[in-house]
Each structure stands twice: as structure tokens, then as C-alpha cells.
Amino acid sequence: MAKLKIALTKGRIEQSTIQLLEEIGINCDFLRNKKRKLVFQSPYDDYEFILVKAVDVLTYVQQGVADIGIVGSDVLYEDEREPYEMLDLEIGRCQFCIASTPNYNPFDYRRKIVATKYPRTAARYFQEKGEDIEIIKIEGSVEIAPLLGLADAIVDIVETGDTLRENGLVIFEKMMPISTRLIVNPA
Ligand code: PRP
């Protein structure tokens, strides 16, 4: 029998996903002791797991290579592809927020510059508010953009708030909640 292929997101939600799989009775010893391995055949059940970056989970599911994907709704919201979302797994909860240094004035009429890893999400949000902004796409460590004068504010995900706090930034607006979703190919 063909194994069910499940694409898991590496990093932030990896441990909570494994915990959830174990809670429903899937033995994940081999995922917990994975070292640098990225494809895993379960020795216990008919599952095969692949461990990839969030946006690649979408690609593997979209191309029909993985049957199921587990990925954050931030990535789904940012991507133009539309997989079928079967289930909110209610783990990896965080928020899309607008943050900046405490002296930032969100009501300033000057056209603002917003740095983010999520340009489509940020553009859509400000467009819905009727605010014209400039977006600068950053690949990571977005928090330093307002500190160094690259941007007026950032749009980013906030989980514990530690990264903002440690860099002297504050939340100005909570945009929307994020959680981990189970996706499949619409076909
Ligand atoms: C996210 C986000 C923040 C941080 C927030 O980055 O971009 O930097 O986590 O988490 P906190 O509120 O718990 O401090 P992530 O760790 O996903 O890594 P990346 O910057 O490499 O994408």
C-alpha cells in the first residue's frame, strides 16, 4: 500500500506538530531523533514525512507530491496559491502585527515605509484601510528595519513578543490571528 505523505514545516511549529501527531497515536520517535535527515519513512505506520520550509509545504501539496501539508496560516495568507484548508490545528498561535519604535505616529499623513517578510499581506491590509504605503520586502530580522531608519514600521508575526521587546519595539496594531492549518490539494 502506498504511504500517506505528510509535509511538515521545519522550525517554529515543528515540535508542537510532532506533539500533536503523537497525541493522535502516531509514533514520532524517528522525527524527534532526526539529526539532519529530511525524509522519514515511519517504521511503525504507513506514513512518510517530509520536513521542509513553510512555503515549500504548499508547493509539495500543490504539486501532488505530498498528500497532506501542515503549515501556518501566515504563509497561506501571503501566498497566491489556494490549497484546501481542512482543519485549524489550533497550534502555533501568533498574530500579524504592526510594530515600531515607541515614537512612531500611525496617524502621520506622510506616506509611510513598511518593512516586512509578508508584502502581500501588508499591502492588502493597508489597502483595505485606504492607506497608501511603500513596502520594503525583508527576508528576516525585520525588527531592525525601524531601528536603523530603513522603515517607519514593520508588519510581522508576534508570538511571545520577546523579539519586539528585546529590540525596543512596541505593537501599534494587531492585524489578525495566525494558527497552524492542515491542507490538502483541492483535487
Ligand atoms: C518570527 C518573527 C519574529 C519572531 C517573533 O521570526 O519574524 O522575528 O518570530 O516571535 P516572538 O514574538 O516569540 O519573539 P521566526 O522565528 O519565524 O524566524 P525568521 O525571522 O527566520 O523568519
Side-chain angles (χ1 to χ4, degrees):
M1 196 172 88
K3 291 201 171 206
L4 190 72
K5 285 196 187 62
I6 306 177
L8 305 179
T9 301
K10 273 206 279 194
R12 171 175 293 272
I13 60 171
E14 191 177 319
Q15 289 312 314
S16 48
T17 304
I18 291 173
Q19 197 179 328
L20 194 67
L21 292 168
E22 287 176 335
E23 279 169 23
I24 61 165
I26 299 176
N27 189 327
C28 292
D29 296 353
F30 55 97
L31 281 174
R32 290 203 178 273
N33 310 310
K34 64 183 167 65
K35 305 209 173 86
R36 308 289 289 178
K37 221 174 147 184
L38 299 168
V39 179
F40 307 86
Q41 311 282 341
S42 167
Y44 313 106
D45 323 275
D46 287 329
Y47 299 116
E48 180 176 319
F49 293 95
I50 58 174
L51 207 50
V52 290
K53 282 197 170 186
V55 73
D56 296 335
V57 168
L58 265 173
T59 305
Y60 281 101
V61 170
Q62 193 78 17
Q63 297 300 321
V65 172
D67 303 299
I68 290 175
I70 294 181
V71 68
S73 60
D74 54 327
V75 176
L76 298 175
Y77 202 73
E78 180 66 18
D79 203 279
E80 73 274 8
R81 291 168 290 185
E82 293 184 353
Y84 187 68
E85 270 185 56
M86 303 243 345
L87 202 58
D88 182 348
L89 297 176
E90 301 183 357
I91 55 171
R93 287 185 184 282
C94 49
Q95 295 253 2
F96 269 125
C97 291
I98 300 172
S100 189
T101 47
N103 64 351
Y104 169 67
N105 176 9
F107 306 108
D108 191 347
Y109 283 109
R110 193 174 49 84
R111 187 169 184 251
K112 298 182 192 77
I113 301 175
V114 173
T116 184
K117 283 186 281 189
Y118 302 90
R120 290 183 84 229
T121 303
R124 205 180 315 170
Y125 188 77
F126 281 94
Q127 198 174 11
E128 279 166 13
K129 277 161 65 102
E131 196 174 338
D132 178 36
I133 57 155
E134 180 184 339
I135 292 175
I136 297 182
K137 167 94 196 282
I138 298 278
E139 295 298 333
S141 308
V142 185
E143 290 81 3
I144 59 175
L147 298 175
L148 299 182
L150 179 70
D152 298 300
I154 61 170
V155 163
D156 201 9
I157 60 171
V158 177
E159 188 179 4
T160 60
D162 288 348
T163 315
L164 290 183
R165 260 190 303 279
E166 285 180 26
N167 290 287
L169 302 187
V170 292
I171 294 173
F172 280 85
E173 206 170 319
K174 290 184 175 167
M175 296 162 58
M176 71 189 87
I178 296 163
S179 59
T180 305
R181 308 293 161 90
L182 190 149
I183 59 165
V184 295
N185 188 305

